[in-house]
Structure formats: C-alpha cells, structure tokens
Amino acid sequence: MSNFLVTGGAGFIGSALVRGLLAKGASRVAVVDSLLTGYERNLDEVCGAIDFHRVDIRDYDALRKTMAGIDVVFHEAAIPSVPRSIAEPVPSHDVNINGTFNLLRAAKDAGVRRVIYAASSSAYGDTPVLPKVETMATAPKSPYAAQKLMGEYYMSVWASCFGLETVSLRYFNVFGPRQDPTSQYSGVLSLFISAILDRRTPTIFGDGETSRDFTYVEDVVGLNLRAAEAPASVSGKVFNAGNGGRITLNQAWDLLQKFEGVAIPPIYGPPRPGDVRDSQADTTAAVRELGHSPQVSFEAGLRATLDWYRSTRNRA
Ligand code: UD1
C-alpha cells in the first residue's frame, strides 16, 4: 500500500480517515494538523502508528517537508463552518483558500501522485431541484461555500496544468463519533446530541423544516479510500459524498427524543444567514466511478453516535 498524509488528521473526519487507513493496512500514515480545531486526543488510539506534524497548512516550507515520500494526500484541513466564515471571513479565507493553494503547490513539488480534497455540498446553494447532481450549476451562498468551490477549481486546474491527480469529494453534513460539540459553530447533530444528553432545549434556526443529507462519517471514510484507489480517469473530477437521504431538523430532534424517551420542545430562532434550505445528494456518479455506496442509514448512524457521546461522558 501507498504512503499517506492526512491534513486536518486530528479533526473529526481526518482522524476517522487515519483510523480507516491503518485498519486497511497502510504502511505509513502521516498527519498534519495545526490543532486550531482538531485535538490530539482524537488520535490517542493510533499515536504509535502515525507521524504527527503540528503544522499549519499556510506554512509552505513546513508543509512541503511533511510530504517527502508521500503518494496520496487527503486534504481535510479547513475552517469548516458557514456562520464562522461570515463572522470571521479573513481566517476562513486564509486557511480554506491560501492553505489549499499551498497544499497543492507542496504536493506537486514533493512528487505526490494524488490529492483527495474535502469539498462541500454547500457549493450547490439553493438549487430548485433535488437531489443535487454534480452536473448542476453551483451557486455558493456564503464565503465558506465560495472558498470550498474555489478549492475544487484549484484541484481540477492542478490536474490539468501540473499533472497532479486530484479528486474532489463534496461532503454532505458529515456526522458521527468525535465531532466536536463545544463551539457555537459545531455541526448541528453534535449540538443536538449534547443537548439531549444534558436534557437541555436546543435552538433550531428557522422553522425546523430545513433539510440535510446527514452522512455517517464511516461512509465518507469508505468513499475516500475508494477515491485513493480509483483509476487515473477520475482525476480532476468532483463527486458527491452523501448518503442520498434527506432529514429535516425537526425529524432529527424528534428521533433523538424518541431514542432517549424524553419530550423537550425546541426553541425556534431566525434562520441563519448563508444557510441553504434543502440538501440531498445524488450518489449515482460516486457509486459508479468510485465504487462505494452508503452503508449506514441515518437512524443507525445517529444511534451509534449518541451511544458514543454517552460512553465518553460516562468515562470522563
Ligand atoms: C455543514 C458543515 C460544512 C459542510 C456542509 C456540507 C459543519 C459545522 N458544517 O454545513 O462544513 O461543508 O455541511 O453540506 O459540520 N442549526 C440549528 N441549530 C444549531 C446549529 C445549526 O438549527 O444549533 C441549523 C443550521 O442553521 C443549518 C443546519 O442546522 O440550517 C445545519 O447546520 P450545520 O450543522 O452548521 O451544517 P451546514 O451549515 O449545513
């Protein structure tokens, strides 16, 4: 097997990818993380089996050094929030665009074969048709969505101009164990799960009928691993990384109340600026060209995630 590098490897998705690579027998897995939003504890179980580099992707020289001998890079490092990109557009731009540019330069200069990029379904914006297919026009509604789309363009240009193989995977609301619930910018399901375990009232922005294609983290890992192995004909392309379903915020909160056997009506607030109303992936191209179909239903993933949060609390 090849030598791998995961940027953002101490984060929620990146650390799951690191564990997935090791489970598949990867001979070498290196991790780059600035620990801005990631945590070394996410890698506790595997720290003896990886090379950890505390490096910010905006630092070209340091990043370039971590890529010696690397075949495939998974680029997960980002400041990953729509509202944060509106509240703090400068760092968001700097990490998500300038950092991604550095990453591509360093990968090319180091002789990396392929870069797999964590793109975002937010690039679609409010398209009138669901599910969202890769051939649809994009319409970003927030700085974050625009930054992630710029990253896709850079990926395909590095493939066509510089011969670096690239694949962009548009993530659809990834959730699962280790998602950090402690920030106002955290993913909604991590906030809902913390609230239900504390028996607290959650806030739903909007009327609760906003919908998302919540995708279990292990399915995103599976798709990334396939993208690393896929033939060179996938290079330069963009694929949806979603489950294919569509769940409203009201449905998600209802299910958590059912699991826990409690009744806690949510508070409704104004919709968040930059939010997309509905999101759902067409998974056809990813299944056909990358060969991974989603394995974990929303309900099974939510139950597993709830159990994980409960067990980590019991240990603390
Ligand atoms: C998420 C990801 C983003 C990814 C995108 C892909 C996070 C933090 N963001 O964005 O990186 O590229 O999916 O599809 O994982 N909400 C509430 N109450 C809360 C928090 C949020 O109602 O306490 C609502 C939001 O207003 C939004 C929905 O839940 O309507 C989802 O929000 P969020 O989890 O932040 O994800 P996205 O913005 O969809």
Side-chain angles (χ1 to χ4, degrees):
M1 244 189 144
S2 313
N3 294 325
F4 300 96
L5 174 76
V6 182
T7 72
F12 150 56
I13 301 174
S15 66
L17 197 43
V18 169
R19 285 187 299 279
L21 285 163
L22 291 169
K24 276 204 82 181
S27 45
R28 186 177 152 210
V29 180
V31 167
V32 159
D33 205 297
S34 68
L35 302 181
L36 180 67
T37 59
Y39 298 97
E40 272 180 288
R41 65 165 184 266
N42 284 337
L43 296 167
D44 275 353
E45 287 161 37
V46 294
C47 61
I50 60 170
D51 297 324
F52 180 79
H53 306 281
R54 185 166 182 179
V55 163
D56 191 306
I57 57 168
R58 289 170 290 186
D59 180 347
Y60 171 84
D61 292 328
L63 188 60
R64 167 74 181 76
K65 284 190 194 120
T66 67
M67 290 196 193
I70 296 294
D71 304 299
V72 177
V73 173
F74 297 91
H75 180 35
E76 312 302 303
I79 295 186
S81 158
V82 168
R84 190 166 177 174
S85 77
I86 295 172
E88 302 167 27
V90 174
S92 174
H93 173 97
D94 203 24
V95 169
N96 296 343
I97 292 193
N98 296 333
T100 296
F101 173 74
N102 261 341
L103 180 287
L104 284 166
R105 273 176 65 215
K108 166 71 184 141
D109 294 349
V112 167
R113 179 170 57 80
R114 182 171 293 188
V115 174
I116 298 159
Y117 170 60
S120 172
S121 63
S122 58
Y124 287 112
D126 282 322
T127 49
V129 179
L130 293 172
K132 301 189 183 203
V133 189
E134 293 87 339
T135 48
M136 283 176 176
T138 49
K141 285 183 71 179
S142 62
Y144 173 75
Q147 292 153 12
K148 280 283 163 181
L149 183 58
M150 183 70 208
E152 286 183 17
Y153 289 141
Y154 261 146
M155 290 294 146
S156 70
V157 162
W158 246 260
S160 58
C161 296
F162 301 110
L164 177 70
E165 292 179 7
T166 64
V167 183
S168 294
L169 301 177
R170 281 184 185 159
Y171 292 175
F172 281 72
N173 292 78
V174 185
F175 74 103
R178 291 187 172 80
Q179 190 165 25
D180 178 13
T182 61
S183 150
Q184 58 172 315
Y185 302 123
S186 296
V188 67
L189 292 182
S190 70
L191 295 171
F192 277 10
I193 290 175
S194 287
I196 202 100
L197 289 173
D198 291 344
R199 305 297 188 247
R200 266 189 293 111
T201 304
T203 302
I204 292 183
F205 302 123
D207 61 5
E209 293 307 300
T210 297
S211 64
R212 291 290 184 269
D213 183 354
F214 293 108
T215 303
Y216 193 59
V217 65
E218 290 308 323
D219 273 321
V220 169
V221 168
L223 194 64
N224 271 279
L225 298 181
R226 291 303 183 102
E229 292 164 356
S233 56
V234 299
S235 180
K237 292 191 182 174
V238 175
F239 296 97
N240 287 340
N243 175 277
R246 190 157 75 89
I247 303 288
T248 67
L249 299 176
N250 284 329
Q251 286 171 331
W253 182 247
D254 283 349
L255 196 54
L256 285 170
Q257 291 177 87
K258 196 179 102 190
F259 286 165
E260 287 292 291
V262 294
I264 306 174
I267 292 171
Y268 292 91
R272 242 174 27 181
D275 267 351
V276 168
R277 176 70 178 176
D278 297 305
S279 184
Q280 182 179 19
D282 184 315
T283 60
T284 313
V287 173
R288 187 183 59 231
E289 293 192 50
L290 301 178
H292 176 85
S293 50
Q295 303 294 307
V296 184
S297 69
F298 174 67
E299 188 160 338
L302 192 64
R303 205 180 266 283
T305 308
L306 179 65
D307 289 348
W308 183 86
Y309 279 88
R310 188 187 289 105
S311 70
T312 50
R313 286 174 171 220
N314 291 345
R315 261 185 271 133

